[in-house]
Amino acid sequence: MKTILIVDDEPRTREGVRKVLESWSAGRYQITTSSSAVEALEWLNENEANLVVTDIRMPEINGLELVERLRARQHPPVVIVISGHPQFDYAHKALQFGVIEYLLKPLDKKKLVEAVELAFRKEEELNRIERMERLVDTKLLETTEQETQYSAPVKEAIQYLDEHLHEPVTMRDIADHLHMNASYFSVLFKEQIGLTFSDYLTRRRVQRAKELLTNTRLSINEIAEKAGYQTAKYFVKVFRSHEGVSPGQYRKNVSHAEETIQ
């Protein structure tokens, strides 16, 4: 269940926002409150919020400082700012920090609900983008977009590699398949693709592994084999070097993102 965190040092406003959102939510969201940014940050150390609705003016840490600290988190929540002061510099800075909406007190119930609905749509969009960034290798994406410009041998090499990625295929194997000199093929491939054959092959294997980690429940050993690695140990080493996390952690991160979207 998604969570909304309301942060305001004024009890009347805090409870008013909570009641409006509980009525609108009808049990679809968990709604919790904090009486200060300090309290909110302490709560967020142990819990996760999808949306934060925060006042600007609060003691110790104000709303904009809270937003700035939230941005530094691995999975920052989307934010709506509320304020009793229609000051341009506050609103401008809030928007610079990626705040979804800047609402003025006294709050209009309809505008509050519309802002929350907009915030959750934005959150879903950001989660989809984050998931795609995890899954897609932008360098490989560029090579796919330019594929029509490649020569026939390079296109055939890419197709052959795709069909034999689960095998211990080498550059010489592909050069032999194309009846080309291996050195000449290496230069031609790098010239047109913009990556060495070795780098391209590694990226394709890691990409295949990410697709399997995301879309199947196959074991790491099975995925290593299907991605063309002869040992799981070497596969884990290459994957970690390329993605910064182990295959198991990557799978957990993707699962977390999917749960957040739902």
Side-chain angles (χ1 to χ4, degrees):
M1 183 182 290
K2 292 189 177 184
T3 300
I4 301 171
L5 175 62
I6 302 161
V7 189
D8 199 310
D9 62 322
E10 298 178 7
R12 185 176 176 182
T13 302
R14 188 170 66 244
E15 287 305 300
V17 172
R18 182 183 62 79
K19 287 178 181 178
V20 170
L21 295 186
E22 282 186 347
S23 176
W24 161 80
S25 165
R28 291 174 298 159
Y29 301 95
Q30 178 182 337
I31 299 171
T32 190
T33 63
S34 292
S35 59
S36 70
V38 173
E39 183 182 311
L41 289 169
E42 289 175 356
W43 185 88
L44 286 164
N45 285 334
E46 303 294 332
N47 304 276
E48 191 166 316
N50 302 90
L51 168 63
V52 172
V53 181
T54 182
D55 189 19
I56 284 278
R57 289 196 171 182
M58 293 183 291
E60 296 184 79
I61 299 175
N62 68 35
L64 290 179
E65 290 175 291
L66 172 62
V67 173
E68 194 168 10
R69 294 194 189 191
L70 292 177
R71 287 179 72 204
R73 291 175 174 261
Q74 187 175 6
H75 299 286
V78 289
V79 180
I80 294 170
V81 163
I82 56 178
S83 175
H85 308 276
Q87 293 175 296
F88 174 77
D89 56 338
Y90 277 162
H92 181 65
K93 197 163 187 180
L95 292 173
Q96 282 184 318
F97 285 165
V99 168
I100 302 299
E101 188 65 88
Y102 187 95
L103 301 175
L104 291 175
K105 298 177 183 178
L107 292 172
D108 180 286
K109 293 179 182 179
K110 183 180 178 182
K111 287 184 178 179
L112 173 61
V113 168
E114 287 175 348
V116 170
E117 290 174 341
L118 173 64
F120 276 122
R121 288 196 297 273
K122 183 66 174 178
E123 189 219 14
E124 289 177 3
E125 179 186 340
L126 292 172
N127 283 331
R128 279 195 294 272
I129 292 170
E130 183 181 354
R131 186 169 180 269
M132 286 300 296
E133 286 176 345
R134 282 200 187 100
L135 186 60
V136 175
D137 183 321
T138 53
K139 274 285 187 183
L140 287 181
L141 188 60
E142 288 174 14
T143 66
T144 302
E145 291 171 348
Q146 297 169 7
E147 195 165 340
T148 56
Q149 303 171 28
Y150 301 150
S151 63
V154 171
K155 286 180 182 178
E156 189 175 345
I158 291 172
Q159 182 180 348
Y160 182 89
L161 185 59
D162 284 343
E163 293 171 354
H164 296 81
L165 198 61
H166 60 288
E167 301 172 9
V169 64
T170 66
M171 183 181 71
R172 185 169 293 279
D173 292 333
I174 295 182
D176 289 345
H177 172 74
L178 297 172
H179 306 293
M180 293 177 67
N181 174 274
S183 296
Y184 174 71
F185 170 72
S186 175
V187 172
L188 181 68
F189 191 91
K190 173 69 164 61
E191 185 180 81
Q192 295 190 24
I193 299 292
L195 299 168
T196 65
F197 179 82
S198 175
D199 188 16
Y200 180 83
L201 177 59
T202 298
R203 287 174 180 272
R204 283 294 293 113
R205 292 196 192 285
V206 170
Q207 180 70 32
R208 173 70 59 83
K210 290 197 295 187
E211 291 166 1
L212 293 169
L213 286 164
T214 302
N215 300 318
T216 76
R217 301 312 302 169
L218 293 174
S219 69
I220 301 301
N221 284 342
E222 290 172 314
I223 289 173
E225 184 179 343
K226 288 183 179 294
Y229 291 96
Q230 294 182 306
T231 68
K233 184 177 179 181
Y234 183 61
F235 162 60
V236 171
K237 180 182 178 182
V238 172
F239 192 96
R240 187 189 293 275
S241 173
H242 206 270
E243 295 297 314
V245 294
S246 69
Q249 187 59 51
Y250 177 88
R251 175 175 268 169
K252 286 181 183 177
N253 291 346
V254 170
S255 297
H256 172 83
E258 287 178 337
E259 288 169 2
T260 304
I261 291 172
Q262 291 170 1

